[in-house]
Amino acid sequence: MTYVVGLDLGQASDFTAVAILESFPAKRVWAVRNLDRIPLGTPYTVIVEQVRRLMNTFPLRGNSHLVVDGTAVGRPVLDQLGRPGLGCRLVSVTIHGGDKVNIGGGYRVPKRDIVSTSQLLLQQRRLKIAASLLDAKALFAELASFGIRISDSGHDTYGAGKSNEHDDLVSAVGLACWYGQRLWPLLCLARIP
């Protein structure tokens, strides 16, 4: 099994969210194994240490990919996470409003790609979310309010439906799904005897 961990950073008004997905290549399914919202106001230094500790626990150590939203405050956090001893592969994703993925010093990914990957996996019943997870109810609420808005000029934006709602868990799951789907060919090849 391979794990992909999505990390969406927030602090003052948005939660930092962590989503752990486990792959099942034979069925081409992802299972959300853990969801966590780090309390508002938690300093980034504390967040970095919590995530580093998490990535060095079984079964994640040496068997996972940590996909971090490197947009805005993400860059200095990525620098701190990238110190030796992380225990996993660190992947930077900068989210943008364009229409294509760019690779170089990490990934630059349109928000629509991240959103559509999760949406497709859910529609195909290839993303399993156990209702018993601690923050599953919050994730389901975020999914219910998440939407797309298209401006008069045709620009699309994605996020929570109302200003007082959050989309941090949706983003963390989306980051893990997007990168995880990029890994499928490698995961399937690893199963060939």
Side-chain angles (χ1 to χ4, degrees):
M1 299 299 163
T2 297
Y3 296 86
V4 179
V5 179
L7 175 62
D8 180 58
L9 296 164
Q11 189 183 42
S13 59
D14 290 319
F15 293 97
T16 291
V18 181
I20 301 174
L21 276 63
E22 181 180 5
S23 68
F24 291 89
K27 296 181 179 180
R28 296 186 56 88
V29 167
W30 290 97
V32 179
R33 290 297 183 209
N34 192 44
L35 294 168
D36 189 24
R37 278 181 161 170
I38 297 173
L40 295 175
T42 301
Y44 289 122
T45 53
V46 173
I47 292 169
V48 165
E49 289 313 310
Q50 287 178 351
V51 171
R52 287 179 62 84
R53 242 187 334 270
L54 172 69
M55 300 312 297
N56 276 293
T57 61
F58 177 81
L60 300 177
R61 182 172 179 71
N63 192 30
S64 62
H65 303 260
L66 175 60
V67 185
V68 180
D69 177 1
T71 313
V73 298
R75 186 75 256 159
V77 172
L78 278 160
D79 290 344
Q80 290 300 308
L81 285 169
R83 295 187 330 254
L86 181 59
C88 68
R89 177 160 185 242
L90 181 61
V91 179
S92 170
V93 172
T94 302
I95 300 170
H96 65 88
D99 59 1
K100 67 179 182 175
V101 174
N102 298 299
I103 303 171
Y107 295 91
R108 288 185 34 80
V109 183
K111 181 92 175 213
R112 79 167 57 107
D113 287 21
I114 292 169
V115 170
S116 63
T117 301
S118 302
Q119 185 178 33
L120 184 63
L121 289 172
L122 282 166
Q123 289 171 349
Q124 294 175 342
R125 301 186 189 282
R126 293 179 42 225
L127 179 61
K128 306 297 183 183
I129 306 166
S132 61
L133 290 174
L134 182 61
D135 282 318
K137 188 175 181 180
L139 174 60
F140 295 140
E142 287 183 17
L143 286 167
S145 73
F146 198 88
I148 179 174
R149 288 173 295 289
I150 300 182
S151 69
D152 292 339
S153 63
H155 180 74
D156 53 341
T157 57
Y158 302 83
K162 298 177 185 169
S163 61
N164 64 340
E165 295 175 323
H166 297 280
D167 64 0
D168 43 86
L169 290 168
V170 169
S171 294
V173 169
L175 286 164
C177 287
W178 179 84
Y179 187 74
Q181 285 301 103
R182 296 183 73 84
L183 290 176
W184 273 127
L186 298 174
L187 296 174
C188 292
L189 279 175
R191 296 186 72 246
I192 298 172

